[in-house]
């Protein structure tokens, strides 16, 4: 049995999710986010959407 590698950082309050993007959408996000900021940009977009949904209620 292969041993699992332990990562050198602690992310106990986060979960990794895989998501599929259409190619054109991904290109637009990468261009808007800039190099190295993809995750940050997507998380901020999600927060903004959640706030907008909350305001509708």
């Amino acid at each position: 049995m292969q041993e699992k590698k332990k990562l050198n950082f602690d992310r106990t309050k986060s979960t990794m999710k895989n998501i599929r993007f259409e190619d054109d959408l991904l290109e637009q996000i990468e261009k808007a986010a800039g190099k190295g900021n993809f995750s940050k940009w997507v998380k901020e977009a999600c927060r903004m959407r959640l706030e907008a949904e909350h305001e509708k209620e």
Side-chain angles (χ1 to χ4, degrees):
M1 183 186 284
Q2 189 174 12
E3 188 175 321
K4 290 184 179 182
K5 292 182 182 179
K6 184 173 174 144
L7 301 176
N8 292 332
F9 54 87
D10 180 20
R11 300 253 175 134
T12 56
K13 293 186 179 197
S14 67
T15 302
M16 185 177 289
K17 297 288 282 186
N18 293 322
I19 184 170
R20 184 176 302 272
F21 291 91
E22 291 83 9
D23 293 337
D24 61 334
L25 178 59
L26 181 58
E27 289 175 19
Q28 291 176 54
I29 294 170
E30 288 176 335
K31 185 177 180 181
K35 187 174 182 174
N37 295 313
F38 180 82
S39 292
K40 181 180 177 181
W41 194 95
V42 171
K43 288 187 272 187
E44 181 62 25
C46 291
R47 286 185 187 101
M48 290 172 63
R49 174 66 188 259
L50 288 169
E51 287 175 13
E53 291 292 320
H54 181 69
E55 289 174 4
K56 287 181 184 178
E57 295 174 354

